[in-house]
Coordinates of all heavy atoms in Angstrom, one line a residue:
Chain O
F155 N -148.4 25.8 38.2 CA -149.1 24.4 38.3 C -149.6 23.8 37.0 O -149.7 22.6 37.0 CB -150.1 24.4 39.4 CG -149.4 24.8 40.8 CD1 -149.6 26.0 41.4 CD2 -148.7 23.8 41.4 CE1 -149.0 26.3 42.6 CE2 -148.1 24.2 42.7 CZ -148.3 25.4 43.2
S156 N -149.9 24.6 36.1 CA -150.5 24.0 34.9 C -149.4 24.0 33.8 O -149.1 22.9 33.3 CB -151.6 24.8 34.3 OG -152.7 24.8 35.3
V157 N -148.8 25.1 33.5 CA -147.8 25.2 32.4 C -146.5 24.6 32.9 O -145.9 23.7 32.1 CB -147.5 26.7 32.0 CG1 -146.5 26.7 30.9 CG2 -148.9 27.3 31.6
G158 N -146.1 24.9 34.0 CA -144.7 24.5 34.6 C -144.8 23.0 35.0 O -144.0 22.1 34.4
L159 N -145.6 22.6 36.0 CA -145.6 21.3 36.5 C -146.6 20.4 35.9 O -146.4 19.2 36.1 CB -145.9 21.4 38.0 CG -144.8 22.3 38.9 CD1 -145.3 22.5 40.2 CD2 -143.5 21.6 38.9
G160 N -147.6 20.9 35.2 CA -148.6 20.1 34.5 C -149.4 19.3 35.5 O -150.0 18.3 35.2
W161 N -149.6 19.8 36.7 CA -150.4 19.0 37.7 C -151.9 19.2 37.5 O -152.7 18.3 37.8 CB -150.1 19.6 39.1 CG -148.7 19.1 39.6 CD1 -147.8 18.4 38.9 CD2 -148.1 19.5 40.8 NE1 -146.7 18.2 39.6 CE2 -146.8 18.8 40.8 CE3 -148.5 20.2 42.0 CZ2 -145.9 18.9 41.9 CZ3 -147.6 20.3 43.1 CH2 -146.4 19.7 43.0
F162 N -152.3 20.4 37.1 CA -153.8 20.7 37.0 C -154.1 21.3 35.6 O -153.3 22.0 35.1 CB -154.2 21.7 38.1 CG -153.9 21.3 39.5 CD1 -152.9 21.9 40.2 CD2 -154.6 20.2 40.1 CE1 -152.5 21.4 41.5 CE2 -154.3 19.8 41.4 CZ -153.2 20.4 42.1
P163 N -155.3 21.0 35.2 CA -155.7 21.6 33.9 C -155.8 23.2 34.0 O -156.1 23.6 35.2 CB -157.0 21.0 33.6 CG -157.6 20.4 34.9 CD -156.4 20.2 35.7
V164 N -155.6 23.9 32.9 CA -155.6 25.4 33.1 C -156.9 25.9 32.9 O -157.2 27.1 33.3 CB -154.6 25.9 32.1 CG1 -155.1 25.9 30.6 CG2 -154.2 27.3 32.4
S165 N -157.9 25.2 32.3 CA -159.3 25.8 32.2 C -160.3 24.7 32.1 O -160.1 23.5 31.8 CB -159.3 26.6 30.9 OG -159.1 25.8 29.7
G166 N -161.5 25.1 32.2 CA -162.7 24.2 32.0 C -163.2 23.6 33.4 O -162.7 24.0 34.5
R167 N -164.2 22.7 33.3 CA -164.8 22.1 34.5 C -165.1 20.7 34.1 O -165.3 20.4 32.9 CB -166.1 22.9 34.8 CG -166.9 22.4 36.0 CD -168.1 23.2 36.2 NE -168.9 22.6 37.3 CZ -170.2 22.4 37.3 NH1 -170.9 22.5 36.1 NH2 -170.8 21.9 38.3
G168 N -165.1 19.8 35.1 CA -165.4 18.4 34.8 C -164.9 17.6 36.0 O -165.7 16.9 36.7
T169 N -163.6 17.5 36.2 CA -163.0 16.7 37.2 C -162.7 17.5 38.4 O -162.5 18.7 38.3 CB -161.7 16.0 36.7 OG1 -160.8 17.0 36.5 CG2 -162.0 15.2 35.5
P170 N -162.5 16.8 39.6 CA -162.0 17.6 40.8 C -160.8 18.4 40.5 O -160.5 19.5 41.1 CB -161.8 16.5 41.9 CG -162.7 15.5 41.4 CD -162.8 15.5 40.0
A171 N -159.9 17.9 39.6 CA -158.6 18.6 39.3 C -158.9 20.0 38.7 O -158.1 20.9 38.9 CB -157.8 17.7 38.4
H172 N -160.0 20.1 37.9 CA -160.3 21.3 37.3 C -160.6 22.5 38.4 O -160.5 23.6 38.1 CB -161.5 21.3 36.4 CG -161.2 20.6 35.1 ND1 -161.4 19.2 34.9 CD2 -160.7 21.1 34.0 CE1 -161.0 19.0 33.6 NE2 -160.6 20.1 33.0
L173 N -161.0 22.0 39.5 CA -161.6 22.9 40.6 C -160.4 23.5 41.4 O -160.6 24.6 42.0 CB -162.5 22.1 41.4 CG -163.4 22.7 42.4 CD1 -164.3 23.8 41.7 CD2 -164.3 21.8 43.2
V174 N -159.3 22.8 41.4 CA -158.2 23.2 42.4 C -157.8 24.6 42.3 O -157.8 25.5 43.1 CB -157.1 22.2 42.3 CG1 -155.9 22.7 43.3 CG2 -157.5 20.8 42.7
L175 N -157.2 25.0 41.1 CA -156.7 26.3 40.9 C -157.7 27.5 41.0 O -157.4 28.5 41.6 CB -155.9 26.4 39.5 CG -154.7 25.5 39.4 CD1 -154.0 25.7 38.0 CD2 -153.7 25.7 40.6
P176 N -158.9 27.3 40.3 CA -159.9 28.4 40.5 C -160.3 28.6 42.0 O -160.4 29.7 42.4 CB -161.1 27.9 39.7 CG -160.6 26.9 38.8 CD -159.4 26.4 39.4
A177 N -160.4 27.4 42.7 CA -160.8 27.5 44.1 C -159.8 28.2 45.0 O -160.1 29.0 45.8 CB -161.2 26.1 44.7
I178 N -158.5 27.9 44.7 CA -157.4 28.5 45.5 C -157.4 30.0 45.2 O -157.3 30.9 46.1 CB -156.0 27.9 45.2 CG1 -156.0 26.4 45.7 CG2 -154.9 28.7 45.8 CD1 -154.7 25.7 45.3
T179 N -157.6 30.4 43.9 CA -157.6 31.8 43.5 C -158.6 32.5 44.2 O -158.4 33.7 44.7 CB -157.8 31.9 41.9 OG1 -156.8 31.1 41.3 CG2 -157.7 33.4 41.5
L180 N -159.8 31.9 44.3 CA -160.9 32.5 44.9 C -160.8 32.6 46.4 O -161.3 33.5 47.1 CB -162.2 31.8 44.4 CG -163.5 32.6 44.6 CD1 -163.6 33.8 43.9 CD2 -164.7 31.7 44.0
A181 N -160.1 31.6 47.0 CA -160.1 31.4 48.5 C -159.1 32.3 49.1 O -159.3 32.8 50.2 CB -159.8 30.0 48.8
A182 N -158.0 32.7 48.3 CA -156.9 33.4 48.9 C -157.3 34.8 49.7 O -157.0 34.8 50.8 CB -155.8 33.7 47.9
P183 N -158.0 35.6 49.0 CA -158.3 36.9 49.7 C -159.2 36.7 50.9 O -159.1 37.3 51.9 CB -159.0 37.7 48.7 CG -159.3 36.9 47.5 CD -158.4 35.7 47.6
L184 N -160.1 35.7 50.7 CA -161.1 35.4 51.8 C -160.3 34.8 53.1 O -160.5 35.2 54.2 CB -162.1 34.4 51.4 CG -163.1 33.9 52.4 CD1 -164.0 35.0 52.9 CD2 -164.0 32.8 51.9
A185 N -159.3 33.9 52.7 CA -158.5 33.3 53.8 C -157.8 34.4 54.5 O -157.7 34.4 55.7 CB -157.6 32.3 53.2
A186 N -157.2 35.4 53.8 CA -156.5 36.5 54.4 C -157.3 37.2 55.4 O -156.9 37.5 56.5 CB -155.9 37.4 53.3
I187 N -158.5 37.7 54.9 CA -159.4 38.5 55.8 C -159.9 37.6 57.1 O -159.9 38.1 58.2 CB -160.7 38.9 55.0 CG1 -160.2 39.9 53.9 CG2 -161.7 39.5 55.9 CD1 -161.3 40.2 52.9
L188 N -160.2 36.4 56.7 CA -160.6 35.4 57.8 C -159.5 35.2 58.9 O -159.9 35.2 60.1 CB -161.1 34.1 57.1 CG -162.1 33.4 57.8 CD1 -163.4 34.1 58.1 CD2 -162.5 32.1 57.0
A189 N -158.3 35.0 58.4 CA -157.2 34.8 59.4 C -157.0 36.1 60.2 O -156.8 35.9 61.5 CB -155.9 34.5 58.6
R190 N -157.1 37.2 59.6 CA -156.9 38.5 60.4 C -158.1 38.6 61.5 O -157.8 38.9 62.6 CB -156.9 39.6 59.5 CG -155.6 40.0 58.8 CD -155.8 40.8 57.7 NE -156.2 42.2 58.0 CZ -155.4 43.2 58.1 NH1 -154.2 43.1 58.0 NH2 -155.9 44.5 58.4
M191 N -159.2 38.3 61.0 CA -160.4 38.4 61.9 C -160.3 37.4 63.0 O -160.7 37.8 64.2 CB -161.6 38.1 61.0 CG -163.0 38.4 61.7 SD -163.2 40.1 62.0 CE -164.1 40.0 63.5
T192 N -159.9 36.1 62.6 CA -159.9 35.1 63.7 C -158.8 35.5 64.8 O -159.0 35.4 66.0 CB -159.5 33.7 63.1 OG1 -160.4 33.5 62.1 CG2 -159.5 32.6 64.1
R193 N -157.6 36.0 64.3 CA -156.6 36.4 65.2 C -157.0 37.5 66.1 O -156.9 37.4 67.3 CB -155.4 37.0 64.4 CG -154.3 37.5 65.3 CD -153.2 38.2 64.4 NE -152.1 38.7 65.3 CZ -152.2 39.9 65.9 NH1 -153.2 40.7 65.7 NH2 -151.3 40.3 66.6
A194 N -157.7 38.6 65.6 CA -158.1 39.7 66.4 C -159.2 39.2 67.4 O -159.2 39.6 68.6 CB -158.7 40.8 65.6
S195 N -160.1 38.4 66.9 CA -161.2 37.9 67.7 C -160.8 37.0 68.9 O -161.2 37.2 70.0 CB -162.2 37.3 66.9 OG -163.4 36.9 67.5
V196 N -159.9 36.0 68.6 CA -159.4 35.1 69.6 C -158.5 35.9 70.6 O -158.6 35.7 71.8 CB -158.6 34.0 68.9 CG1 -157.9 33.1 70.0 CG2 -159.5 33.1 68.1
L197 N -157.7 36.9 70.1 CA -156.9 37.6 70.9 C -157.7 38.5 72.0 O -157.4 38.5 73.1 CB -156.1 38.6 70.1 CG -154.8 39.2 70.7 CD1 -153.9 38.1 71.1 CD2 -154.1 40.1 69.6
D198 N -158.9 39.0 71.5 CA -159.7 39.7 72.3 C -160.3 38.8 73.5 O -160.3 39.1 74.7 CB -160.9 40.3 71.6 CG -160.7 41.7 71.0 OD1 -159.6 42.2 71.4 OD2 -161.4 42.0 70.2
E199 N -160.7 37.6 73.0 CA -161.2 36.6 74.1 C -160.2 36.2 75.1 O -160.4 36.0 76.2 CB -161.8 35.4 73.3 CG -163.1 35.8 72.5 CD -164.2 36.4 73.4 OE1 -164.4 36.1 74.5 OE2 -164.9 37.3 72.8
L200 N -158.9 36.0 74.5 CA -157.8 35.5 75.4 C -157.6 36.4 76.6 O -157.1 36.0 77.6 CB -156.5 35.3 74.6 CG -156.5 34.0 73.7 CD1 -155.2 34.0 73.0 CD2 -156.6 32.8 74.5
H201 N -157.9 37.7 76.4 CA -157.6 38.6 77.5 C -158.8 38.7 78.5 O -158.8 39.4 79.4 CB -157.3 40.0 76.9 CG -156.0 40.1 76.3 ND1 -155.8 39.7 75.0 CD2 -154.8 40.6 76.8 CE1 -154.5 40.0 74.8 NE2 -153.9 40.4 75.8
E202 N -159.9 38.0 78.2 CA -161.1 38.0 79.1 C -160.8 37.2 80.4 O -160.0 36.3 80.4 CB -162.3 37.4 78.4 CG -162.8 38.2 77.2 CD -163.4 39.5 77.6 OE1 -163.9 39.7 78.8 OE2 -163.3 40.5 76.8

Side-chain angles (χ1 to χ4, degrees):
Chain O
F155 294 104
S156 298
V157 179
L159 299 168
W161 288 359
F162 303 107
V164 75
S165 64
R167 179 181 179 228
T169 64
H172 282 96
L173 195 54
V174 177
L175 297 185
I178 294 177
T179 305
L180 200 51
L184 175 66
I187 294 170
L188 208 56
R190 280 162 64 98
M191 186 69 210
T192 307
R193 176 187 179 276
S195 184
V196 171
L197 201 54
D198 273 348
E199 294 300 327
L200 282 178
H201 285 86
E202 293 292 333

